[in-house]
């Protein structure tokens, strides 16, 4: 209505009035811009401090510049001329205004459309990037969970990916198969591989190699060979890794001939010359050493040197270990020196092999020296190294040096396992030093290592040796209070100690308790009871117990026979002793025949 007042009524304006009302129902900004332009036309231009009109000042703003670009320079100049000259009654003036408003509306709609397209493209790019990032992140998490042994979480995440339409790649699936095989879940691994064949991704040679190795680790060589035979049917050619896995498994079963045939078959099918590589030669060499064929192993080593020339640390470890097994320490030292000359540094396995061989020969000082060399070479001993040294020291009765070694581990923030504590406690017990034995047990608890049944059995044995039966029995009660269940060895030690007291009521009570714990008496149990009966002079009960041993099917050694034979001799019954011995020999021959 303000525009009509400014330009006056005319028949020409009726059409434009209807059009303006239609536009005002949908686009409110057009009405506001129209008000602004009419206001400029109706009033005389007012100037500011700088001498510019309000229209000019408005056009210098960012919004006005935007309007200028949309309306066009020609329309703006015409509007300025009309406002200055006062030609508001000109018929062309309203048409120019509506043209300007139409251009502004079109430009706004075009900009809005471009903005929507840009937003849609950005959303699509972001969605694609997010999907790709999530896929990489999820597959990496699945592989990490498999390495940590968290299979439940790994399969849950895999199912979530499948629900979202993402299929993990074959590398990720191989991690799942590998962890399943290491845990012995072969049926689950078989299900996963079948699902891979049906849904994807297709299994590759690494998948089959992992599956075959899993069967070999679970001692199921037949299924491993069957799986090997189905690889070619699935369009997958076995490689040298497949060959080495199966050769190692066959050699472990003593099937050397079959291993060589399989090796030649795989290489012939692969189009290569049947020439063993370093890994295969090392496997055959290790097999020869373990079976005492040292000459064959050394000839294979020479052949490997002539054909390949390059030998790694693993191959040297195999030959050093084989020579130590055959008690050829001088040759083993020679190959260890050869390693160093070739620039190959011995690893922890090399040192453990040499230390173990020295400890078995009783050369504890040399073994300790070699342990010190490990530190100087920057190779940290592992738990196997300390186990070997602790066993050697304790077997020699060097309790003080063994204690120093254990303290050295504690000082270097390496918590010894219960086996090492038990070895030291046993060493003190055999030496009769019970105070230090119990002190080491208290040290175990102080460092958070829980004593096990072997710990208590060692202490009970030490008490029994010095005749402290009641102290030994109290240790059994202490076991139960600490949540450690006594085993057959515990009861045998206590029954033997109770028989030494000459009172058979207590050993029989222990026997009943043992039976209630569902432990079957063994030869030691019966032997201790026979000895107890013979000490009391109850020869009839001892004979009945010996007859029970024969009926039980246990392999009888000479100990219970010697106890009864000596008892007959003490009773001056040589005929009974002779007949008893003859019956035992006849029964022994019968058992051997059957």
């Amino acid at each position: 209505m303000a525009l009509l007042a400014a330009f006056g009524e005319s028949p020409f304006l009726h059409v434009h009035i209807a059009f303006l009302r239609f536009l005002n129902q949908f686009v409110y900004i057009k009405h506001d811009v129209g008000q602004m332009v009419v206001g400029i036309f109706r009033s005389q231009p007012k100037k500011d401090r700088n001498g510019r009109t309000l229209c000019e000042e408005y056009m210098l703003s960012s919004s006005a510049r935007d309007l200028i670009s949309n309306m066009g320079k020609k329309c703006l100049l015409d509007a300025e001329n009309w406002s200055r000259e006062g030609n508001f009654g000109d018929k062309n003036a309203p048409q120019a205004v509506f043209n300007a408003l139409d251009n502004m509306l079109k430009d706004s709609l075009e900009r809005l459309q471009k903005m929507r397209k840009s937003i849609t493209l950005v959303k699509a790019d972001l969605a694609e990037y997010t999907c790709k990032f999530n896929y990489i992140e999820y597959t990496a998490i699945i592989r990490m969970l498999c390495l940590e042994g968290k299979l439940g979480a790994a399969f849950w995440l895999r199912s979530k990916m499948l629900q979202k339409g993402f299929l993990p790649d074959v590398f990720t699936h191989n991690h799942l198969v590998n962890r399943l095989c290491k845990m012995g879940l072969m049926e689950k691994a078989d299900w996963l591989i079948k699902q891979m064949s049906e849904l994807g991704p297709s299994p590759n040679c690494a998948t089959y190699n992992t599956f075959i190795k899993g069967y070999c680790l679970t001692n199921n060589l037949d299924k491993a060979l069957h799986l090997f035979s189905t690889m070619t049917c699935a369009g997958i050619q076995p490689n040298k890794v497949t060959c080495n896995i199966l050769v190692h498994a066959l050699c472990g079963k003593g099937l050397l001939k079959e291993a060589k045939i399989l090796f030649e078959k795989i290489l012939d099918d692969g189009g290569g010359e049947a020439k063993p590589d370093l890994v295969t030669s090392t496997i055959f060499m290790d097999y020869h050493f373990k079976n005492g064929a040292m000459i064959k192993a050394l000839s294979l080593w020479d052949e490997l040197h002539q054909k390949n020339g390059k030998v790694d640390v693993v191959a040297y470890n195999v030959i050093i270990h084989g020579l130590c097994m055959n008690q050829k320490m001088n040759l083993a030292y020679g190959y260890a020196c050869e390693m160093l000359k070739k620039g190959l540094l011995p690893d922890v396995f090399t040192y453990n092999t040499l230390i173990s061989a020295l400890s078995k020969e009783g050369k504890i000082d040399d073994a300790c020296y070699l342990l010190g060399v490990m530190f100087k070479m920057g190779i940290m001993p592992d738990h196997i190294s300390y186990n070997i040294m602790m066993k050697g020291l304790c077997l020699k009765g060097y309790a003080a040096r063994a204690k120093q070694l254990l303290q050295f581990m504690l000082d270097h923030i390496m918590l010894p396992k219960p086996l090492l504590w038990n070895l030291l406690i046993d060493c003190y017990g055999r030496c009769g030093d019970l105070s230090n034995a119990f002190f080491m047990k208290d040290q175990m608890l102080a460092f958070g290592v829980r004593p096990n049944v072997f710990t208590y059995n060692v202490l009970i044995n030490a008490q029994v040796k010095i005749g402290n039966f009641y102290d030994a029995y109290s240790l059994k009660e202490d076991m139960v209070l600490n949540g450690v269940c006594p085993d057959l060895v515990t009861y045998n030690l206590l029954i033997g100690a109770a028989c030494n007291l000459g009172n058979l009521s207590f050993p029989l009570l222990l026997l009943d308790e043992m039976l209630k714990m569902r432990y079957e008496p063994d030869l030691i149990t019966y032997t201790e009871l026979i000895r107890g009966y013979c000490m009391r002079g109850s020869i009839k009960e001892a004979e009945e117990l010996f007859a029970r041993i024969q009926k039980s099917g246990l392999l009888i050694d000479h100990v219970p026979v010697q106890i009864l034979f000596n008892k007959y001799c003490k009773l001056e019954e040589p005929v009974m002793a002779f007949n008893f011995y003859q019956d035992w020999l006849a029964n022994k021959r019968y058992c051997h025949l059957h």
Side-chain angles (χ1 to χ4, degrees):
M1 294 302 294
L3 285 170
L4 290 174
F7 296 112
E9 283 200 38
S10 68
F12 179 76
L13 292 178
H14 289 297
V15 177
H16 294 283
I17 292 171
F19 178 72
L20 183 60
R21 286 176 180 173
F22 174 75
L23 289 178
N24 283 338
Q25 292 177 4
F26 300 99
V27 185
Y28 297 101
I29 188 171
K30 185 172 180 180
H31 173 73
D32 296 335
V33 174
Q35 291 267 9
M36 179 190 70
V37 175
V38 172
I40 294 171
F41 290 163
R42 289 184 60 182
S43 59
Q44 293 294 329
K46 296 180 182 180
K47 295 183 179 182
D48 61 358
R49 298 174 185 175
N50 298 322
R52 292 180 299 200
T53 63
L54 292 177
C55 180
E56 291 171 338
E57 181 65 23
Y58 184 79
M59 285 189 294
L60 288 175
S61 65
S62 60
S63 300
R65 286 195 300 270
D66 201 40
L67 285 172
I68 292 170
S69 62
N70 293 326
M71 292 170 62
K73 293 181 179 180
K74 183 177 179 180
C75 180
L76 181 62
L77 291 172
D78 290 340
E80 287 181 351
N81 291 333
W82 292 329
S83 64
R84 288 171 185 161
E85 296 172 4
N87 298 327
F88 298 115
D90 192 354
K91 292 182 180 180
N92 294 328
Q95 186 64 36
V97 173
F98 285 115
N99 288 341
L101 295 175
D102 289 338
N103 288 333
M104 289 173 60
L105 181 60
K106 288 180 181 179
D107 186 65
S108 298
L109 293 174
E110 288 176 1
R111 280 193 298 167
L112 182 61
Q113 186 178 8
K114 288 180 181 179
M115 287 174 64
R116 286 178 178 174
K117 286 182 179 179
S118 300
I119 292 170
T120 305
L121 291 174
V122 169
K123 283 183 178 180
D125 292 340
L126 286 174
E128 183 180 356
Y129 175 78
T130 304
C131 292
K132 188 180 293 185
F133 178 77
N134 288 340
Y135 178 83
I136 296 172
E137 185 182 17
Y138 288 166
T139 53
I141 291 173
I142 289 174
R143 293 193 289 268
M144 182 186 67
L145 290 171
C146 290
L147 293 174
E148 294 177 356
K150 300 175 181 178
L151 269 178
F155 273 100
W156 177 84
L157 188 57
R158 175 182 174 272
S159 64
K160 289 296 180 183
M161 289 185 68
L162 293 175
Q163 290 175 7
K164 292 182 179 181
F166 299 142
L167 183 65
D169 56 8
V170 67
F171 183 61
T172 307
H173 276 86
N174 287 346
H175 273 73
L176 291 166
V177 173
N178 181 50
R179 178 50 61 178
L180 287 169
C181 292
K182 283 186 176 180
M183 296 178 70
L185 303 173
M186 302 308 298
E187 292 183 359
K188 183 76 173 177
D190 187 31
W191 166 83
L192 182 60
I193 291 174
K194 286 179 180 177
Q195 197 174 57
M196 289 173 66
S197 301
E198 294 173 0
L199 304 177
S202 299
N204 56 12
C205 190
T207 314
Y208 277 94
N209 289 344
T210 305
F211 201 25
I212 290 171
K213 187 177 180 181
Y215 277 126
C216 293
L217 290 174
T218 55
N219 203 22
N220 198 337
L221 188 56
D222 292 335
K223 284 195 174 182
L225 292 172
H226 173 71
L227 188 63
F228 163 73
S229 64
T230 60
M231 284 182 69
T232 52
C233 297
I236 298 172
Q237 183 67 32
N239 55 14
K240 284 191 175 182
V241 178
T242 320
C243 168
N244 292 332
I245 293 170
L246 290 171
V247 165
H248 186 268
L250 289 168
C251 288
K253 293 285 186 179
L255 304 172
L256 179 63
K257 185 178 179 181
E258 289 78 359
K260 288 182 176 179
I261 293 171
L262 179 68
F263 166 74
E264 293 173 359
K265 181 181 183 302
I266 291 176
L267 290 187
D268 289 341
D269 291 344
E273 184 185 354
K275 176 184 175 182
D277 63 352
L278 179 61
V279 178
T280 316
S281 299
T282 304
I283 293 170
F284 284 129
M285 189 168 58
D286 183 56
Y287 170 80
H288 288 312
F289 273 123
K290 287 179 179 177
N291 287 273
M294 188 175 67
I295 296 174
K296 287 185 178 180
L298 292 175
S299 63
L300 190 60
W301 172 266
D302 294 335
E303 183 183 348
L304 185 64
H305 261 286
Q306 292 173 4
K307 290 184 177 180
N308 294 328
K310 292 183 179 180
V311 184
D312 59 1
V313 177
V314 177
Y316 271 105
N317 286 341
V318 168
I319 193 169
I320 291 171
H321 182 262
L323 292 169
C324 290
M325 285 175 62
N326 290 275
Q327 298 179 351
K328 302 293 182 181
M329 289 302 299
N330 291 331
L331 285 174
Y333 281 130
Y335 281 105
C337 294
E338 186 181 314
M339 279 182 73
L340 294 170
K341 289 178 182 178
K342 289 190 174 182
L344 297 173
L345 292 177
D347 57 7
V348 67
F349 183 84
T350 317
Y351 284 104
N352 287 347
T353 303
L354 295 171
I355 290 171
S356 177
L358 290 170
S359 298
K360 288 177 181 178
E361 290 185 355
K363 299 177 180 179
I364 301 300
D365 293 332
D366 293 341
C368 291
Y369 171 76
L370 203 56
L371 187 68
V373 172
M374 287 183 69
F375 281 101
K376 291 179 182 179
M377 295 292 291
I379 301 171
M380 290 301 297
D382 57 3
H383 280 283
I384 297 174
S385 312
Y386 289 111
N387 286 349
I388 295 168
M389 283 304 309
M390 190 70 73
K391 285 180 182 178
L393 291 169
C394 291
L395 284 174
K396 283 289 185 179
Y398 299 151
R401 294 173 68 177
K403 185 179 179 182
Q404 288 178 357
L405 183 63
L406 188 138
Q407 187 62 46
F408 179 82
M409 292 180 67
L410 294 172
D411 293 340
H412 286 77
I413 318 176
M414 182 180 286
L415 186 63
K417 294 183 178 180
L419 174 62
L420 297 183
W421 295 93
N422 293 337
L423 286 171
L424 186 54
I425 291 170
D426 181 52
C427 185
Y428 278 122
R430 286 187 288 105
C431 295
D433 191 354
L434 287 180
S435 60
N436 267 318
F438 279 97
F439 173 75
M440 294 311 300
K441 181 210 168 204
D442 295 336
Q443 285 288 99
M444 283 182 73
L445 292 169
F447 282 97
V449 181
R450 185 182 177 186
N452 54 23
V453 65
F454 184 82
T455 314
Y456 283 101
N457 286 343
V458 165
L459 293 171
I460 289 171
N461 187 40
Q463 294 284 11
V464 167
K465 280 185 176 180
I466 60 175
N468 293 337
F469 169 74
Y470 295 104
D471 291 336
Y473 186 79
S474 65
L475 280 171
K476 197 265 295 186
E477 299 296 322
D478 188 48
M479 289 175 68
V480 178
L481 291 173
N482 286 288
V484 181
C485 185
D487 62 358
L488 185 61
V489 177
T490 313
Y491 283 106
N492 285 342
L493 288 170
L494 292 174
I495 288 172
C499 289
N500 289 333
L501 297 176
N503 184 5
L504 285 178
S505 59
F506 205 81
L508 292 175
L509 287 173
L510 288 169
L511 180 64
D512 291 337
E513 183 180 334
M514 186 178 72
L515 293 172
K516 289 178 182 178
M517 297 281 292
R518 296 184 178 180
Y519 290 126
E520 289 294 328
D522 61 357
L523 184 61
I524 297 174
T525 315
Y526 288 119
T527 302
E528 292 295 335
L529 290 171
I530 288 171
R531 188 169 58 84
Y533 280 122
C534 289
M535 288 175 64
R536 282 188 61 185
S538 303
I539 190 69
K540 185 177 180 181
E541 287 82 354
E543 289 174 347
E544 290 176 356
L545 198 57
F546 185 80
R548 190 188 300 179
I549 299 175
Q550 290 179 320
K551 290 180 181 178
S552 66
L554 292 172
L555 184 62
I556 303 174
D557 59 7
H558 68 283
V559 178
V561 176
Q562 187 175 1
I563 292 171
L564 280 168
F565 187 84
N566 291 336
K567 186 62 179 177
Y568 285 128
C569 292
K570 286 181 181 180
L571 293 173
E572 298 180 355
E573 295 287 346
V575 177
M576 292 182 67
F578 179 76
N579 291 333
F580 170 75
Y581 184 71
Q582 290 295 325
D583 291 340
W584 174 67
L585 286 177
N587 188 65
K588 187 177 180 181
R589 292 192 194 99
Y590 177 78
C591 292
H592 278 298
L593 289 173
H594 292 79

